[in-house]
Amino acid sequence: MKVLVTGAAGFIGFHTVCRLAERGDEVVGLDNLNDYYPVELKHARLAESGIEAAASLGEHTLVRSTRWAGYRFVKADLTDKAFLDALFESEGFDRVIHLAAQAGVRYSIENPYAYIRSNIEGFLNILEACRQWPVDHLVYASSSSVYGLNDKIPYAETDMTDRPVSLYAATKKSNELMAHAYAKLYSIPATGLRFFTVYGPWGRPDMSPSLFLGAILTGRPIRVFNHGEMFRDFTYIDDIVTGICAVLSGPPKPNPDGVAAAVYNIGNSTPVALMDFIGAIERASGREALKELLPMQPGDVYRTYADTSALERDFNYRPSTSLQEGIDRFCAWYKNYHHL
């Protein structure tokens, strides 16, 4: 099976590429290597997957991995429609895992146009390429942020998702609607995955695990919003990738309206109090955190909690990594990566 993975130098994309390549799939990874966070981490992920000298990669050149013969990477931007079309035409992908996006809830408040370009225009280009060079299945990243002001918990796929609290959330809901339209108009089987808070080795430096652990290890205070009165459905990266690969193998069947489109929550289905999460990091690091208690930030929500019963029913999805186990692995990676 030949699979395109966009966002291949990102956190989830890197781990997904590794899993697919390890099991023998032919994989093409694509990423624009933007500087939303330090690009050195993206280069390091690529090096770990056998893409050497990532910092000197030119645009639009497919580079073969030295780790897996079936993996190639190309630096390109999703808004470059001409290149994306040429790539689809020449490669003949069987399936696509679209994980590239401008991430970050708070960043969307400061830089709204970046989200429209990447998350809307970029996704449209993916859909158009899948239309012109048909694939068996498009799996794409949505987000738990689409639930917005919904106060019913746990969040179920049938819940209302038309009250976003950030532009990032609005773009992810837009992706679901766009995919549904293309599934109806052009018979593109499409599955959206609403990711809940993902953590683990090689995670983004702007996410709470890295921010908290980095501060704790260097004796700096951590910023604890809403005075710690928050809950997140933290999900370990290996469990997320297992879910992605399971879904990839099962394109949705047409519903009664004749639309082969589906959306699933993918999370741990066990919300953790923020203070308990900090406690797990303290135990893993062997140090106590200095806590700066602050009010809620714009764009944040009080609680996330995934109802994953649909994913369990259709794909036998059951996360198996405990919070402390996952944090211990993350902490070990973080210390090694940062030479601490």
Side-chain angles (χ1 to χ4, degrees):
M1 180 166 59
K2 181 182 279 192
V3 185
L4 172 67
V5 179
T6 70
F11 174 35
I12 300 176
F14 157 73
H15 283 278
T16 301
V17 162
C18 291
R19 182 76 64 88
L20 294 173
E22 282 172 353
R23 75 181 195 182
D25 289 323
E26 185 177 355
V27 182
V28 173
L30 180 150
D31 201 293
N32 67 359
L33 301 179
N34 69 29
D35 60 358
Y36 166 63
Y37 56 81
V39 73
E40 290 78 14
L41 178 57
K42 298 179 183 182
H43 294 162
R45 292 184 187 126
L46 288 173
E48 182 72 10
S49 62
I51 306 300
E52 308 294 346
S56 60
L57 290 179
E59 296 270 341
H60 302 170
T61 301
L62 282 161
V63 178
R64 190 169 298 278
S65 167
T66 59
R67 183 174 179 184
W68 295 294
Y71 176 45
R72 290 171 296 152
F73 174 82
V74 61
K75 180 182 177 182
D77 197 289
L78 291 176
T79 60
D80 187 340
K81 186 177 184 303
F83 173 76
L84 198 62
D85 287 349
L87 183 69
F88 269 75
E89 183 177 23
S90 63
E91 294 294 334
F93 298 114
D94 299 309
R95 304 194 178 183
V96 174
I97 302 176
H98 176 58
L99 300 172
Q102 179 57 61
V105 169
R106 286 177 287 280
Y107 189 74
S108 69
I109 296 172
E110 304 165 6
N111 300 274
Y113 289 98
Y115 289 76
I116 300 303
R117 286 191 296 270
S118 180
N119 300 6
I120 302 297
E121 182 183 347
F123 188 52
L124 176 61
N125 288 343
I126 287 287
L127 290 170
E128 277 290 294
C130 290
R131 176 179 72 84
Q132 295 181 61
W133 294 277
V135 298
D136 298 329
H137 192 191
L138 166 64
V139 176
Y140 64 93
S142 186
S143 168
S144 62
S145 66
V146 300
Y147 291 107
L149 294 175
N150 175 35
D151 55 7
K152 171 188 166 293
I153 54 171
Y155 298 153
E157 292 89 347
T158 53
D159 289 345
M160 182 170 58
T161 55
D162 60 358
R163 294 191 296 166
V165 296
S166 69
L167 182 63
Y168 170 73
T171 63
K172 287 300 184 180
K173 179 59 181 178
S174 297
N175 288 170
E176 295 181 6
L177 298 173
M178 293 163 71
H180 186 278
Y182 269 69
K184 173 62 176 175
L185 290 169
Y186 308 115
S187 300
I188 301 171
T191 302
L193 294 174
R194 292 174 177 170
F195 292 114
F196 284 68
T197 312
V198 186
Y199 74 98
W202 298 99
R204 278 172 30 205
D206 61 317
M207 298 294 286
S208 59
S210 291
L211 294 174
F212 288 168
L213 181 57
I216 290 170
L217 292 175
T218 55
R220 293 177 287 113
I222 63 174
R223 304 169 76 196
V224 182
F225 292 101
N226 205 37
H227 305 281
E229 290 296 317
M230 297 173 72
F231 294 81
R232 289 291 181 270
D233 200 340
F234 291 102
T235 315
Y236 189 66
I237 183 61
D238 287 1
D239 294 325
I240 288 289
V241 174
T242 296
I244 293 172
C245 291
V247 168
L248 182 68
S249 66
K253 300 291 191 295
N255 63 21
D257 295 323
V259 184
V263 175
Y264 292 99
N265 289 335
I266 181 166
N268 202 43
S269 199
T270 308
V272 175
L274 182 57
M275 287 302 192
D276 291 341
F277 182 71
I278 294 170
I281 296 176
E282 290 174 325
R283 287 188 292 275
S285 66
R287 302 188 188 183
E288 185 175 351
L290 302 172
K291 303 175 186 70
E292 180 183 359
L293 302 181
L294 298 168
M296 184 77 91
Q297 290 191 108
D300 264 352
V301 295
Y302 168 65
R303 183 194 303 261
T304 62
Y305 181 1
D307 176 351
T308 59
S309 57
L311 200 58
E312 293 170 14
R313 178 195 67 223
D314 294 347
F315 295 97
N316 197 33
Y317 175 76
R318 291 184 179 85
S320 61
T321 309
S322 70
L323 177 68
Q324 192 63 60
E325 180 184 4
I327 289 297
D328 288 346
R329 293 178 189 171
F330 168 73
C331 186
W333 167 81
Y334 187 96
K335 288 180 176 178
N336 180 67
Y337 179 77
H338 291 280
H339 308 292
L340 296 173

